């Protein structure tokens, strides 16, 4: 059978359904570079997809649109893998879960995540409803998965693939441990799926969110629906002598002294000294002679070259000559330890984007770039970072992805090292003879 061609943009969770199903079935699917803003408007593409939507699957007999239809088509190419279930009843259950995910999970999940990614504007009312609906769907899944390993039967089906794809970005960006605390069966199932070879080949390592990322216009972490209920009549205020009525009985009229016995313990608890706050990243380090924010402005305001493009290389010589303080700051390279797993371009880009996002806690004292190198898989990930201080412990402590890299401290007094740092921070096309497929800046 000739290879299929799937058109979509990098990281499209709806396209991931088909790609994971293809991995399970051993089906070749080509994924050419595709820019929705330009390629999606071309006459050639609109002839294949009248609405100009992706994903779109092109086959030898014509095109198929709608992500679930595409995933079903690929799942049915092989019957022995039983992605659609091993009986008519199981096929019906798979279809039922696909409809559930489409209507009850995908819609609210995107309305929660897309403002975080900047795809749509944040709306407080819409956000609150979306969060509540995601939790409602998670409750349904958790109840079912408490007594089942997978959604249908005893092995992965398309139902699991579609549900994992819908939850991928929520798990990576917004579903913090607080949001997931009530759904242990969902967590177990999700981690089981994403760590199987077919999922891992498409998704790479999936790092779960430790804190909820917020949209720019949203300044308040989302309250977990239902959390904190029961503090009214049945909570602490109704507890014996501590309540209003109990206070009166133990007051002027002289209540039972035994009933008032807990008061000293409560007073002692109230007088207990508050726990010290954990130190902020880079707190207590010598400030040195360099202002990190000033350097970032220096870099961002690079002069324009003859083509009216920023010449970032021009910022590096004055940086090492007049700005950098090697006594208070250090520069490091990092190399990903599992480059052989970078078999898909968009999952590699997602991996690096996640690394950048998880470094946010150290933004005040760090600057760096991450490069994805290579014309084809497996892609290589390497980076160069500057930190306040002489160690890289802050990124290791605050970014769980950092431990998957080998870190090397550079001798910045060496002119050759300074030139290498310049290439890390400024190149857009080639790095040490390799093509720069993509780059990410942290500042």
């Amino acid at each position: 059978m000739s290879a299929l061609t799937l058109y979509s943009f990098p990281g499209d969770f709806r396209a991931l359904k088909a790609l994971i199903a293809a991995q399970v079935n051993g089906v070749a699917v080509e994924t050419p570079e595709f820019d929705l803003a330009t390629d999606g408007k071309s006459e050639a593409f609109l002839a294949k997809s009248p609405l100009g939507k992706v994903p779109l699957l092109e086959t030898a007999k014509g095109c198929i649109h709608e992500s679930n239809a595409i995933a079903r088509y690929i799942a049915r190419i092989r019957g022995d893998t039983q992605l659609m279930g091993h009986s008519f009843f199981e096929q019906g259950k798979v279809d039922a879960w696909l409809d559930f995910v489409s209507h009850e999970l995908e819609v609210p999940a995107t309305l929660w995540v897309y403002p975080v990614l900047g795809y749509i504007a944040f709306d407080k009312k819409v956000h609150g409803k979306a969060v509540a609906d995601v939790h409602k769907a998670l409750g349904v899944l958790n109840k079912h998965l408490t007594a089942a390993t997978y959604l249908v039967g005893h092995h992965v089906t398309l139902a699991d693939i579609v549900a994992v794809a819908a939850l991928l970005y929520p798990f990576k960006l917004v579903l913090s441990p607080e949001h997931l605390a009530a759904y242990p069966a969902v967590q177990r199932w999700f981690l089981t799926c994403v760590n199987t070879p077919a999922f891992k080949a498409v998704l790479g390592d999936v790092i779960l969110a430790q804190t909820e990322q917020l949209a720019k216009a949203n300044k308040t972490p989302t309250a977990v629906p239902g959390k904190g209920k029961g503090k009214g009549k049945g909570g602490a205020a109704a507890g014996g002598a501590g309540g209003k009525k109990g206070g009166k009985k133990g007051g002027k009229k002289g209540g039972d002294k035994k009933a008032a016995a807990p008061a000293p313990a409560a007073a002692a608890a109230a007088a207990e000294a508050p726990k010290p706050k954990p130190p902020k990243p880079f707190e207590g380090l010598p400030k040195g002679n360099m202002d990190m924010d000033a350097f970032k402005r220096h870099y961002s305001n690079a002069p324009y070259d003859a083509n009216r493009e920023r010449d970032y290389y021009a910022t590096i010589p004055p940086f090492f000559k007049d700005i950098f303080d090697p006594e208070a700051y250090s520069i490091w390279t990092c190399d990903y330890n599992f480059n052989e797993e970078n078999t898909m371009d968009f999952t590699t880009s997602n991996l690096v984007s996640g690394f950048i996002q998880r470094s946010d806690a150290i933004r005040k004292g760090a600057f760096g770039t991450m490069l994805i190198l290579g014309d084809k898989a497996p892609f290589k990930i390497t980076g160069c970072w500057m930190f306040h201080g002489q160690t890289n412990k802050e990124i290791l402590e605050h970014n769980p992805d950092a431990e998957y890299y080998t870190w090397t401290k550079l001798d910045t007094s060496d002119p050759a090292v300074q030139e290498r740092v310049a290439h890390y921070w400024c190149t857009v096309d080639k790095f040490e003879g390799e093509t720069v497929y993509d780059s990410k800046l942290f500042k």
Side-chain angles (χ1 to χ4, degrees):
M1 180 177 180
S2 61
L4 306 171
T5 302
L6 184 67
Y7 297 96
S8 190
F9 54 88
D12 178 13
F13 78 89
R14 293 183 174 90
L16 297 179
K17 308 172 189 180
L19 294 174
I20 296 170
Q23 280 289 331
V24 174
N25 278 352
V27 175
V29 177
E30 296 179 2
T31 54
E33 289 188 16
F34 186 86
D35 186 335
L36 189 59
T38 55
D39 299 329
K41 302 275 194 300
S42 69
E43 291 185 9
F45 182 73
L46 291 175
K48 300 172 184 177
S49 176
L51 294 177
K53 290 185 177 181
V54 292
L56 179 79
L57 183 71
E58 186 172 20
T59 77
K61 294 185 177 181
C63 295
I64 301 172
H65 56 87
E66 303 303 328
S67 61
N68 281 354
I70 294 169
R72 284 188 178 101
Y73 176 84
I74 293 176
R76 289 177 174 134
I77 289 176
R78 282 182 60 180
D80 59 313
T81 57
Q82 298 180 349
L83 278 180
M84 292 302 298
H86 82 280
S87 66
F88 285 122
F89 176 76
E90 284 197 358
Q91 290 173 18
K93 295 295 288 183
V94 169
D95 282 332
W97 281 115
L98 262 61
D99 287 348
F100 170 85
V101 171
S102 293
H103 301 301
E104 308 298 332
L105 188 55
E106 277 189 8
V107 173
T110 54
L111 290 174
W112 189 355
V113 169
Y114 279 5
V116 175
L117 296 173
Y119 292 168
I120 60 176
F122 174 78
D123 181 287
K124 186 176 182 180
K125 186 176 181 180
V126 171
H127 173 76
K129 181 69 163 60
V131 172
D133 287 346
V134 168
H135 275 273
K136 183 179 179 180
L138 289 175
V140 172
L141 287 171
N142 196 74
K143 183 177 180 180
H144 177 78
L145 290 166
T146 298
T149 303
Y150 300 103
L151 289 177
V152 179
H154 302 290
H155 61 85
V156 167
T157 65
L158 190 61
D160 301 292
I161 292 172
V162 168
V164 166
L167 285 168
L168 179 65
Y169 290 117
F171 262 88
K172 293 177 70 172
L173 300 175
V174 296
L175 287 175
S176 62
E178 291 78 13
H179 283 288
L180 288 173
Y183 315 114
V186 175
Q187 294 184 69
R188 182 265 306 156
W189 159 82
F190 183 85
L191 290 172
T192 298
C193 290
V194 299
N195 284 294
T196 58
F199 284 82
K200 209 171 182 66
V202 176
L203 306 179
D205 292 324
V206 177
I207 308 300
L208 306 188
Q210 296 304 306
T211 57
E212 179 194 352
Q213 294 191 37
L214 304 178
K216 286 185 178 180
N218 182 17
K219 305 301 181 184
T220 307
T222 310
V224 178
K227 189 175 182 181
K229 288 185 177 180
K231 288 187 178 180
K233 294 181 179 179
K244 291 182 179 179
K245 292 183 179 179
K248 289 180 180 178
K249 288 184 178 179
K252 293 181 180 178
K253 292 187 178 180
D256 189 343
K257 290 184 179 180
K258 291 183 180 179
E272 185 179 344
K275 295 181 180 180
K277 293 182 179 180
K280 295 180 180 179
F282 309 106
E283 191 172 44
L285 292 175
K287 290 186 176 180
N289 299 318
M290 177 180 143
D291 183 333
M292 177 66 87
D293 289 334
F295 161 68
K296 291 178 180 180
R297 289 192 296 271
H298 166 76
Y299 177 89
S300 298
N301 295 322
Y304 290 100
D305 61 18
N307 297 319
R308 297 302 297 163
E309 294 181 353
R310 294 281 188 184
D311 181 9
Y312 293 103
Y313 277 100
T315 67
I316 304 303
F319 163 71
F320 279 113
K321 181 181 178 182
D322 303 319
I323 300 175
F324 182 60
D325 181 358
E327 299 299 321
Y329 291 80
S330 56
I331 298 179
W332 300 68
T333 58
C334 62
D335 295 289
Y336 189 53
N337 294 331
F338 307 101
N339 285 319
E340 69 278 2
E341 297 180 359
N342 297 330
T343 57
M344 303 290 287
D345 50 7
F346 65 87
T347 57
T348 306
S349 290
N350 287 343
L351 182 67
V352 174
S353 294
F355 186 91
I356 294 292
Q357 292 167 354
R358 289 174 179 81
S359 301
D360 193 62
I362 64 168
R363 190 173 298 277
K364 290 293 291 183
F367 173 90
T369 56
M370 299 292 287
L371 305 179
I372 300 175
L373 305 178
D375 293 309
K376 59 183 180 179
F379 296 94
K380 177 181 176 182
I381 301 174
T382 185
C384 183
W385 290 70
M386 174 169 58
F387 302 119
H388 189 181
Q390 296 301 315
T391 73
N392 65 334
K393 77 179 187 71
E394 299 293 353
I395 196 167
L396 290 172
E397 289 179 359
H398 292 90
N399 184 338
D401 293 1
E403 64 178 288
Y404 302 120
Y405 291 76
T406 296
W407 293 86
T408 304
K409 190 175 182 180
L410 302 181
D411 176 9
T412 53
S413 65
D414 185 343
V417 170
Q418 295 180 11
E419 183 179 359
R420 188 167 187 240
V421 171
H423 290 313
Y424 263 112
W425 289 354
C426 305
T427 189
V428 293
D429 49 11
K430 291 285 186 180
F431 179 79
E432 296 181 345
E434 295 188 76
T435 298
V436 176
Y437 174 79
D438 195 8
S439 63
K440 308 287 183 183
L441 175 67
F442 180 90
K443 64 177 180 177

